[in-house]
Amino acid sequence: MPRSYSVGEFADERGVHRQTVKRWCREDEIDYTRTPGGSRRIPRRELLRLSGDARPTDCVALCARVSSHGQKENGDLDRQLDRLADYAHNHGWTVENTYTDVGSDLNEDRCDLTSLLDDVRDADYGRILVTYEDRLTRFGFSYLEWYFDCYGVTITVIKDETDKSAQEELVAALTGLEVFSYWCPTTS
């Protein structure tokens, strides 16, 4: 998991007052998340960014995936890309690269996922946009977050009012289990 700091730890690292860090959070000058208890946690990449050692998070890469060619033909891939591009535009970010795949999220040998993993080392962007975590992978998303964070790149998942329904999530999970059991047969 990427290293994150409390407000006090971040203030100490930057040599500023805690209230300054809280103001930066309120004014969206730094990225942060909230713990279940409501405390702010500031990722290490923000410390790097303010030190001039990070990649620009206003330069982004779009990452979209559909499971089948039928979904691609129905326009699902294009809708994902449009949604991601709109999100980037609405935040004033520039799109530096686009990665698209057609294939199961359980398949680790996807062409553009491999390209993304290779490109992130020398990328001109500091943020990857995806509509859902499973657009990258069904399992091990936190490992990808950690890997990208090692190179100063963050993943932003843009879930909104068009999130998957419980039924869609269940169908996706069951389909994934069916495919997984096909790939990994049990011995009796």
Side-chain angles (χ1 to χ4, degrees):
M1 203 68 182
R3 168 82 165 111
S4 64
Y5 299 90
S6 69
V7 169
E9 292 169 334
F10 195 82
D12 290 345
E13 289 288 331
R14 291 295 300 154
V16 298
H17 195 276
R18 297 171 63 115
Q19 292 303 320
T20 301
V21 175
K22 288 180 181 180
R23 179 177 46 81
W24 289 345
C25 291
R26 277 192 313 272
E27 295 175 359
D28 290 328
E29 292 181 28
I30 58 175
D31 285 340
Y32 68 94
T33 58
R34 293 242 185 216
T35 66
S39 299
R40 291 181 178 103
R41 298 298 297 179
I42 304 159
R44 179 176 178 271
R45 67 182 142 69
E46 286 300 295
L47 189 61
L48 294 173
R49 182 181 65 83
L50 293 175
S51 300
D53 293 338
R55 296 179 187 180
T57 56
D58 60 343
C59 296
V60 302
L62 309 181
C63 189
R65 181 193 60 78
V66 292
S67 298
S68 69
H69 288 283
Q71 288 175 319
K72 182 180 178 183
E73 290 167 9
N74 286 338
D76 292 351
L77 191 61
D78 291 333
R79 278 190 289 281
Q80 275 183 57
L81 289 172
D82 289 345
R83 202 166 139 214
L84 293 169
D86 287 346
Y87 189 90
H89 177 73
N90 290 340
H91 285 79
W93 301 337
T94 58
V95 176
E96 297 294 323
N97 208 338
T98 300
Y99 299 91
T100 60
D101 267 321
V102 177
S104 170
D105 55 355
L106 294 173
N107 182 358
E108 297 170 350
D109 191 26
R110 298 192 325 260
C111 186
D112 265 11
L113 177 60
T114 303
S115 295
L116 174 62
L117 293 171
D118 287 340
D119 291 353
V120 76
R121 288 177 260 183
D122 300 312
D124 293 330
Y125 50 82
R127 184 185 309 267
I128 297 167
L129 294 180
V130 295
T131 52
Y132 303 102
E133 290 179 3
D134 69 0
R135 298 300 89 192
L136 288 175
T137 185
R138 172 83 50 199
F139 304 107
F141 183 81
S142 61
Y143 293 117
L144 289 179
E145 278 185 309
W146 172 83
Y147 176 76
F148 293 140
D149 190 61
C150 287
Y151 294 103
V153 176
T154 187
I155 303 171
T156 300
V157 180
I158 62 162
K159 299 177 186 176
D160 63 10
E161 70 279 352
T162 60
D163 277 352
K164 295 178 181 178
S165 69
Q167 181 180 359
E168 289 172 320
E169 288 287 341
L170 180 59
V171 169
L174 292 175
T175 303
L177 288 175
E178 181 180 313
V179 171
F180 185 74
S181 66
Y182 174 77
W183 285 343
C184 302
T186 57
T187 56
S188 312

